[in-house]
Amino acid sequence: MLWHSDRNLDMNGYALINNAANRWFGGKLNATVLLPLFAALLLLVIWLGTLHLIGVERRNAERAAIESSADLIRTYEAQVIRNLAVIEQTLKVVRYAHDVKENDLSLSVLTERGLLPSSIIFSVDVADADGGIVSSNRQNAGNIADQAHFRAHEGNVNDSLFVSKAVLNPATSERELHFSRRLNRSDGAFAGVVVVSVDPAYFTSSYEHSTLGRNGVLALLGTDGVFRALRTGDRLSFGGSVDYPAATQSDFSSDSGQRQVPVNPWDGVRRFTKARQLHGFPLAAIIGLSAEEQLGNYYRTCNKYLWQASLASVFLLLVFGVLTRLSWLLSRSQRRIQADQARYYAAAEASLDAFFVLRCVRDQRGMIVDFELMDTNSRGEKLLGRPKAELLGASLVEFDPQCRENGLFAHLADVADSGKVHEVEWKNRSGSLNGEWLYRQVVRIEDGVIAIVRDISERKRLQMQIEYQATHDTLTGLANRRFLQDRLAQSIAYASRYGHPLWVAFIDLDRFKFINDSLGHKVGDTFLRIIAERLQSAVRATDIVARLGGDEFVLVLSGNDDDDLPSNNIQRIMDVVTQPLDLDGKDFSVTCSIGVANYPADADRPETLIEYADMAMYRAKETGRNNFQFFTATMNERLNERLRIEQELHQAIERNELVLHYQPRVDLRGGEITGMEALIRWQHPELGMVPPIRFIGVAEETGLIVPIGDWVFRTACAQNKAWQDAGLCHLRVSINLSARQFAQPDLLQTIKDALRETGLEARYLEIELTESLMMSDVENAIHILQALKELGVYLSIDDFGTGYSSLAYLKRFPIDVLKIDRSFVSDIPANANDAAITSSIIALAHSLELEVVAEGVETAEQLAFLQQRNCDVVQGYYFSRPVPVTDFEIL
Ligand code: C2E
Ligand code: CA
Ligand code: CA
């Protein structure tokens, strides 16, 4: 539909009309306007033709009527003249007889001689000078002296014919016309009159319906304008008077431009009328043919024509109305299609996708054998790398010869046949398409498909990058924790199927913090990268190397059936890690602690295996670092124990199970005890004496450290005060403060309260803080420390050297004591590195006028070394373990 609307059959007729219209009217008009114009033209032709025909018919009818009226008047005139001639003859015969036989005139003699016409029609009377009838052929008697014709002759010497009006004969009570002449005596004096009386109907008796119709006229009109006889149809009348000239000149001819047949003045009927003045008589003959009757045929024909024209007009209007409506609808739908197409092209061009309209090419059996490209957009040109003009009409098989092998053809044909929508992402290997990764969606249309193709290379790259980032450690490129779990699960599944064992090794670098601290994070990162490379090179390609973050790595090593992972395998990995490496021009070496868990012996779930390996690693750390430990069930017991501690710790205070042990601090110059550190223990009814390392962490996590810390403060202060009161000695007691306690807003108040309640002077209290505790918010820490300092208590930094703190900060903290961490002390003087660090810490502390305490002094050599380096105070098993109150009193 999209591409062959102009080929659509429905549109053919319409297109034809429109094309013609466009040719004629320069494309300005369309059929919607032309059709009504055409219809109007046809109507005009029909009606003009009809009216013309009617006109011709009318003239023909009128001419025929005029001709027949002319014939009729001739006949009528001749007939009347003949009758009048008989009357005239009779009058003349009688007069002659009178002149010959004056006073003895007998009409009977004349009758006998055949000189008078039949008395049935013509009555002849002779009257004397007094009006008395003297002779008659109808036995008439009486006197006519008072009658008009008598008087006319009496007073008129003229010898002229007198024609009377139709008068009533009292004897017969019938109308008659009197034709009379004067009789003179031989001396010319009035002698009487001779009268011929005739029934007026006699003159109109020739009326024939066949020629004159039912409403024709036959009339005898006197020049005085009075009808002597007037017959219209079957009706006879007399005496009516009209205007003589008007009545006799009513000639009609439509050729002369006269439209209407004139009206007879006597009865208002339209007639073709002819009149003749009768020569020698004061009379005119008139005939009239009723226009209505004469034109009857014409009227019927005319009606027929009008009906036909009307019917034709209605039919025409209907047909053209329907055509115009159709044409309007078609032009509207075409306009819509055009608008749709315009929108479609605009949308197609605006689209970021390439699209291709493909038409199916089928063989005789209807099978799709190829596709023809019907349309595309500029994106499509870009994708195919060819201009549209070159692409349109191209065959798919020619264009992409591999389309049958790579499934494209089958895909398109399937959509074209089934109508399903198909979507697919694929890596482009075809030479005829641009783009590395492509996506296509194919939709069926009428006998074809539309393929929408998008270049998704960018998205794919991004997706793969994100996927990689989500599963890999950005610093080293190793698998991250999430990916490790997935891959470990796969390895477990594989190992379980083939009955192989697996080892999960958890590696933690010992004191990596130091490298970061002293050389900076950049070098630390390089260091980690090198370690990652070393680990990868130390294992097989199928093994997994992951970094969990910081300096923690995990290896998943798979073994064979009979291949028990030998310890020296792990040792080899340790050796690889601990090899010295060159950083910043200096040789560095780092040790590591490794914990190993085994599948299926220890656990069969990825998380559990990693957790157990982690536990074993901690064990390795506990046993002095730089070694590896295999997971054992007892480690797991410890875990269970930790859970138990977590559950029972909150009861410890109530049950009064907590105790404080005290470890003395010995001044190196004087050799006497100058202070003691209060160290907490938990006297558990079943677990026995639980060391702080096993429950302080839990207390921190649960928040129980706050009430426990309060208890420690009060107990230690009270104990110290008690000893002072007992007069034993005046010593400073140092108390360990945890991060959670340090963050408590009422810390200062708690300490004040403890001092006030116990009555201990502030200068006999020392508070031990770790570096990390102060480093999280330096400004706030300084603020709190200053407040504590104002209180008068001593402040010390515990475990110095293990945290991240920069020495530069030390100057800003109002502290009094610096405690060197046990881990440095334990390896001196054997470890030159540690020895150097210890020496420099002592020197640094002194330069900042801080007292230095060395922790964990166990041997005389250590003591000697520290003495030599001018360490102020020592604390350690060499002098005393932390001991209960009573034992301390003995000391
Ligand atoms: P710390 O503050 O570094 O305490 C010194 C630790 O070193 C003590 O362990 C002590 O017994 C041990 N020690 C002393 N001399 C030697 C020695 O010569 N050799 C060896 N190997 N160890 C020695 P302890 O009592 O187990 O305490 C462990 C940690 O628990 C403490 O480390 C401290 O951080 C924390 N802690 C103890 N008591 C409290 C307390 O009341 N409150 C808080 N917040 N933490 C406490
Ligand atoms: Ca301490
Ligand atoms: Ca310490």
Side-chain angles (χ1 to χ4, degrees):
M1 275 305 286
L2 288 171
W3 74 87
H4 62 198
S5 60
D6 49 342
R7 300 184 193 172
N8 198 317
L9 279 178
D10 292 346
M11 307 300 277
N12 262 351
Y14 178 73
L16 218 75
I17 295 172
N18 246 11
N19 286 349
N22 288 350
R23 234 177 293 126
W24 294 338
F25 299 97
K28 294 245 167 61
L29 291 176
N30 62 21
T32 314
V33 180
L34 280 179
L35 281 171
L37 275 180
F38 190 53
L41 204 73
L42 274 181
L43 280 178
L44 198 72
V45 167
I46 287 176
W47 282 100
L48 283 180
T50 305
L51 291 178
H52 175 74
L53 275 179
I54 286 172
V56 169
E57 285 290 328
R58 185 186 179 99
R59 273 193 300 280
N60 286 344
E62 282 171 352
R63 201 170 296 134
I66 289 165
E67 272 167 18
S68 88
S69 66
D71 279 352
L72 285 171
I73 193 66
R74 263 195 304 277
T75 317
Y76 186 52
E77 181 190 18
Q79 188 192 342
V80 171
I81 291 278
R82 238 183 354 262
N83 292 332
L84 287 178
V86 171
I87 291 168
E88 185 72 326
Q89 185 65 34
T90 306
L91 288 175
K92 281 180 177 166
V93 167
V94 172
R95 198 169 61 175
Y96 175 71
H98 173 265
D99 288 349
V100 175
K101 294 217 173 166
E102 200 176 336
N103 298 327
D104 192 21
L105 176 66
S106 173
L107 291 177
S108 51
V109 178
L110 294 174
T111 309
E112 278 162 23
R113 292 208 183 153
L115 290 173
L116 294 184
S118 159
S119 65
I120 300 163
I121 300 164
F122 302 104
S123 309
V124 184
D125 298 306
V126 179
D128 60 15
D130 299 325
I133 303 291
V134 286
S135 182
S136 171
N137 67 348
R138 53 172 178 175
Q139 282 84 45
N140 197 2
N143 194 294
I144 60 166
D146 58 337
Q147 294 202 0
H149 57 287
F150 182 85
R151 282 203 316 262
H153 291 302
E154 190 180 27
N156 191 354
V157 228
N158 252 356
D159 178 30
S160 57
L161 179 70
F162 183 87
V163 183
S164 77
K165 295 170 186 166
V167 289
L168 198 68
N169 182 349
T172 59
S173 359
E174 284 188 9
R175 297 255 171 192
E176 46 191 33
L177 288 174
H178 301 300
F179 295 85
S180 56
R181 275 189 180 270
R182 175 184 166 123
L183 296 176
N184 290 329
R185 282 188 206 148
S186 52
D187 58 359
F190 180 64
V193 291
V194 52
V195 182
V196 175
S197 300
V198 184
D199 180 353
Y202 176 70
F203 290 99
T204 57
S205 60
S206 64
Y207 190 98
E208 275 178 43
H209 284 95
S210 59
T211 49
L212 286 162
R214 278 177 291 105
N215 203 17
V217 162
L218 216 51
L220 207 57
L221 180 68
T223 49
D224 54 2
V226 177
F227 278 108
R228 299 304 193 262
L230 170 63
R231 179 163 172 176
T232 42
D234 289 332
R235 214 166 51 82
L236 188 66
S237 68
F238 333 86
S241 75
V242 289
D243 177 35
Y244 180 81
T248 50
Q249 277 170 19
S250 54
D251 232 6
F252 166 74
S253 158
S254 61
D255 294 333
S256 66
Q258 231 172 315
R259 287 233 115 295
Q260 288 269 27
V261 179
V263 169
N264 283 154
W266 53 90
D267 59 2
V269 175
R270 289 189 189 282
R271 288 196 187 85
F272 294 94
T273 312
K274 295 274 183 195
R276 288 287 168 83
Q277 163 90 54
L278 301 178
H279 183 69
F281 299 96
L283 292 168
I286 295 174
I287 70 107
L289 293 171
S290 155
E292 197 184 299
E293 284 169 3
Q294 293 305 308
L295 299 180
N297 267 336
Y298 152 74
Y299 284 137
R300 273 186 293 282
T301 316
C302 172
N303 270 346
K304 198 175 79 189
Y305 283 160
L306 288 175
W307 264 109
Q308 283 171 351
S310 303
L311 279 176
S313 305
V314 168
F315 177 73
L316 204 76
L317 285 174
L318 274 175
V319 167
F320 275 86
V322 168
L323 279 178
T324 308
R325 170 77 183 155
L326 277 180
S327 140
W328 181 77
L329 286 175
L330 281 171
S331 86
R332 192 179 62 174
S333 76
Q334 206 193 33
R335 273 199 309 278
R336 277 190 191 153
I337 288 169
Q338 278 168 353
D340 282 350
Q341 270 182 348
R343 268 199 295 277
Y344 151 78
Y345 278 112
E349 280 311 311
S351 166
L352 295 179
D353 300 335
F355 82 82
F356 303 97
V357 181
L358 297 161
R359 191 176 63 83
C360 298
V361 179
R362 296 174 186 272
D363 62 10
Q364 286 108 329
R365 285 175 302 142
M367 300 289 288
I368 299 173
V369 290
D370 198 356
F371 286 91
E372 185 189 351
L373 183 64
M374 304 305 297
D375 198 6
T376 184
N377 60 355
S378 50
R379 289 268 164 181
E381 293 179 306
K382 216 186 238 175
L383 186 80
L384 297 181
R386 289 200 211 173
K388 191 168 172 176
E390 218 174 278
L391 289 170
L392 294 188
S395 137
L396 178 72
V397 174
E398 268 171 49
F399 198 86
D400 183 5
Q402 288 148 14
C403 70
R404 283 183 189 278
E405 285 84 65
N406 63 23
L408 175 64
F409 182 83
H411 183 174
L412 297 181
D414 183 41
V415 174
D417 283 336
S418 72
K420 285 182 232 147
V421 177
H422 275 252
E423 285 177 281
V424 70
E425 281 184 8
W426 85 102
K427 195 166 167 67
N428 176 29
R429 290 186 184 84
S430 155
S432 47
L433 293 177
N434 295 325
E436 189 188 345
W437 276 92
L438 297 171
Y439 158 86
R440 70 170 175 258
Q441 187 181 26
V442 186
V443 205
R444 176 164 70 170
I445 53 165
E446 202 185 321
D447 200 36
V449 293
I450 290 184
I452 295 156
V453 183
R454 188 179 303 168
D455 185 343
I456 54 162
S457 313
E458 193 54 39
R459 199 197 77 197
K460 268 282 174 191
R461 268 196 291 279
L462 211 69
Q463 194 177 315
M464 289 194 292
Q465 195 183 325
I466 289 168
E467 237 163 63
Y468 181 85
Q469 278 170 355
T471 53
H472 288 79
D473 169 45
T474 31
L475 179 66
T476 59
L478 297 178
N480 65 8
R481 184 187 291 271
R482 234 190 63 197
F483 196 36
L484 167 69
Q485 294 229 346
D486 291 353
R487 288 194 61 189
L488 181 53
Q490 287 168 17
S491 299
I492 291 170
Y494 184 84
S496 112
R497 193 176 318 142
Y498 295 100
H500 292 170
L502 269 185
W503 286 273
V504 176
F506 201 110
I507 303 170
D508 190 286
L509 302 181
D510 298 329
R511 281 198 262 122
F512 168 71
K513 286 164 191 158
F514 231 61
I515 290 170
N516 244 357
D517 259 5
S518 45
L519 301 173
H521 284 273
K522 245 179 150 179
V523 179
D525 287 350
T526 316
F527 189 89
L528 287 173
R529 257 184 244 124
I530 293 169
I531 297 292
E533 279 164 26
R534 286 181 177 182
L535 286 173
Q536 252 172 331
S537 63
V539 300
R540 282 178 290 192
T542 48
D543 293 337
I544 304 166
V545 182
R547 176 173 174 241
L548 300 190
D551 53 359
E552 295 178 338
F553 295 87
V554 170
L555 306 182
V556 178
L557 311 164
S558 43
N560 294 323
D561 241 348
D562 40 21
D563 178 20
D564 194 27
L565 184 81
S567 300
N568 52 18
N569 219 346
I570 298 289
Q571 186 59 56
R572 188 172 50 79
I573 289 164
M574 277 190 82
D575 293 345
V576 165
V577 173
T578 51
Q579 262 171 34
L581 63 115
D582 181 61
L583 280 180
D584 245 11
K586 287 176 208 144
D587 258 5
F588 268 88
S589 73
V590 74
T591 58
C592 67
S593 305
I594 303 182
V596 184
N598 174 256
Y599 168 86
D602 297 333
D604 54 9
R605 286 183 30 229
E607 322 81 90
T608 321
L609 278 169
I610 296 169
E611 194 189 336
Y612 285 180
D614 189 11
M615 252 184 237
M617 187 276 289
Y618 265 99
R619 184 85 205 103
K621 290 255 179 200
E622 276 173 7
T623 48
R625 300 189 172 96
N626 197 16
N627 71 92
F628 60 88
Q629 298 285 331
F630 284 93
F631 175 79
T632 59
T634 42
M635 292 178 192
N636 199 17
E637 275 162 24
R638 277 191 159 193
L639 185 78
N640 291 334
E641 181 197 285
R642 185 193 144 93
L643 287 175
R644 192 168 169 188
I645 285 169
E646 220 174 286
Q647 285 159 8
E648 295 182 20
L649 185 61
H650 65 279
Q651 302 167 350
I653 305 175
E654 298 157 31
R655 293 199 207 147
N656 219 2
E657 290 169 357
L658 297 174
V659 288
L660 285 181
H661 284 190
Y662 297 90
Q663 186 177 37
R665 279 187 193 171
V666 180
D667 190 288
L668 275 183
R669 278 153 297 196
E672 77 271 20
I673 297 170
T674 56
M676 64 255 176
E677 182 175 0
L679 293 159
I680 195 167
R681 271 104 186 87
W682 181 8
Q683 187 67 56
H684 193 274
E686 286 151 33
L687 297 172
M689 189 67 85
V690 185
I693 198 105
R694 278 159 65 188
F695 69 89
I696 288 293
V698 178
E700 285 249 357
E701 281 165 26
T702 55
L704 278 169
I705 192 70
V706 177
I708 289 174
D710 284 2
W711 177 86
V712 171
F713 266 115
R714 271 181 280 106
T715 312
C717 289
Q719 185 58 59
N720 200 15
K721 177 69 177 155
W723 278 327
Q724 287 179 8
D725 289 351
L728 280 171
C729 51
H730 286 255
L731 299 176
R732 205 158 74 202
V733 64
S734 74
I735 290 172
N736 292 285
L737 197 75
S738 80
R740 191 79 174 242
Q741 284 174 277
F742 193 69
Q744 290 292 310
D746 58 351
L747 172 69
L748 201 69
Q749 195 55 47
T750 307
I751 296 168
K752 269 187 192 166
D753 288 350
L755 290 173
R756 192 172 32 91
E757 278 170 28
T758 57
L760 185 73
E761 285 178 57
R763 61 185 170 118
Y764 293 116
L765 178 64
E766 181 179 312
I767 295 171
E768 297 191 6
L769 308 132
T770 57
E771 293 165 82
S772 55
L773 184 147
M774 297 183 290
M775 298 312 293
S776 57
D777 183 353
V778 174
E779 297 306 320
N780 190 39
I782 290 171
H783 192 73
I784 295 169
L785 292 182
Q786 265 161 357
L788 286 171
K789 201 71 214 113
E790 275 163 29
L791 213 65
V793 299
Y794 280 78
L795 297 174
S796 60
I797 293 187
D798 202 358
D799 304 340
F800 188 77
T802 56
Y804 291 89
S805 71
S806 150
L807 294 175
Y809 280 113
L810 281 177
K811 272 189 272 181
R812 302 185 57 197
F813 294 124
I815 47 173
D816 309 290
V817 185
L818 217 155
K819 295 182 78 179
I820 304 173
D821 190 61
R822 213 168 67 217
S823 61
F824 298 105
V825 178
S826 64
D827 284 351
I828 52 172
N831 186 319
N833 224 2
D834 287 356
I837 291 171
T838 308
S839 305
S840 55
I841 291 175
I842 294 169
L844 171 86
H846 283 159
S847 76
L848 291 169
E849 296 180 335
L850 299 175
E851 190 183 278
V852 186
V853 180
E855 284 186 311
V857 179
E858 295 178 355
T859 65
E861 294 85 63
Q862 290 167 344
L863 184 68
F865 179 86
L866 290 165
Q867 243 169 342
Q868 200 198 332
R869 294 295 188 284
N870 282 330
C871 183
D872 305 302
V873 182
V874 289
Q875 181 184 344
Y877 294 172
Y878 182 74
F879 293 103
S880 168
R881 289 181 170 263
V883 290
V885 176
T886 43
D887 293 357
F888 193 80
E889 284 166 5
I890 298 163
L891 280 173

